[in-house]
Amino acid sequence: MKVEACSLPDGALLQRYRDMPGAYTDCFTASVRRVVSPAEYVEAFYTTGLFKCERFVLFLIGRGCTDEDARALAEGRAQKFAAWTVEGRAQDQLLVCDFAKATRSWLMVGPRRDGAAGTQLYFGSAVVPGAKDRAGNPRPTAGFRLLQPVHAFYARALLRAAARKISRMG
């Protein structure tokens, strides 16, 4: 399953953070050979085995959640999920904000970029500035800058896990 970094597509709810001074944003994409609804993607993403490891850590800090909670988020029946609150929702995408208001996670579906039948899956993140440089300009914290390569690896792995799960479903 190939996961690639890409620029944010037009209309992405995450774009507001790309344009925020000092913010970090990323976007990764993978394609699957079947048509996938946004709800299917969101539910698959948050119920993969890999994400369940993160859910366990969230449980330990009092922010636990279940597969049913993921389904409720995916179907628009919930505005909160574990450590996140829905910040934006559109027909094809979902943007959530963490409880500290420091990060955003974004999922979107669209037509495959190669024109083949199926769905293009997008996953992106934003980290809002938590520090300032010597000139007073906003920037991500030193901790995030050090962990950014780990974040990128994990983001790709999460998207790959979701795409594989979706591919096995159809």
Side-chain angles (χ1 to χ4, degrees):
M1 186 67 54
K2 187 175 181 182
V3 172
E4 300 175 307
C6 66
S7 58
L8 287 168
D10 291 340
L13 294 173
L14 198 61
Q15 282 181 343
R16 68 185 86 163
Y17 296 102
R18 182 196 64 198
D19 300 332
M20 178 185 281
Y24 165 88
T25 57
D26 59 27
C27 182
F28 300 97
T29 189
S31 60
V32 293
R33 293 186 177 153
R34 69 180 197 82
V35 175
V36 179
S37 72
E40 286 178 291
Y41 175 37
V42 170
E43 182 176 352
F45 185 92
Y46 288 121
T47 60
T48 63
L50 180 58
F51 196 82
K52 285 183 180 186
C53 294
E54 184 171 337
R55 283 173 37 184
F56 178 72
V57 173
L58 292 168
F59 168 77
L60 294 176
I61 64 166
R63 303 263 180 191
C65 57
T66 65
D67 285 357
E68 177 52 39
D69 295 331
R71 188 172 303 109
L73 174 72
E75 294 173 354
R77 295 183 287 114
Q79 293 299 306
K80 292 186 177 188
F81 174 72
W84 299 276
T85 301
V86 173
E87 182 174 308
R89 190 185 289 268
Q91 182 178 352
D92 58 350
Q93 58 190 302
L94 174 71
L95 177 66
V96 294
C97 175
D98 77 280
F99 67 93
K101 302 208 181 312
T103 64
R104 308 301 189 274
S105 295
W106 164 80
L107 298 111
M108 183 175 131
V109 298
R112 282 182 53 152
R113 297 187 310 169
D114 62 7
T119 303
Q120 199 72 37
L121 307 173
Y122 296 91
F123 173 56
S125 304
V127 178
V128 297
K132 294 189 179 200
D133 64 18
R134 291 181 184 196
N137 299 312
R139 65 182 180 148
T141 64
F144 176 77
R145 290 192 315 273
L146 287 172
L147 293 174
Q148 191 278 326
V150 174
H151 163 80
F153 176 82
Y154 183 57
R156 286 174 182 267
L158 285 170
L159 178 54
R160 185 175 294 108
R164 283 185 176 149
K165 182 172 186 168
I166 288 167
S167 292
R168 286 191 307 264
M169 292 165 51

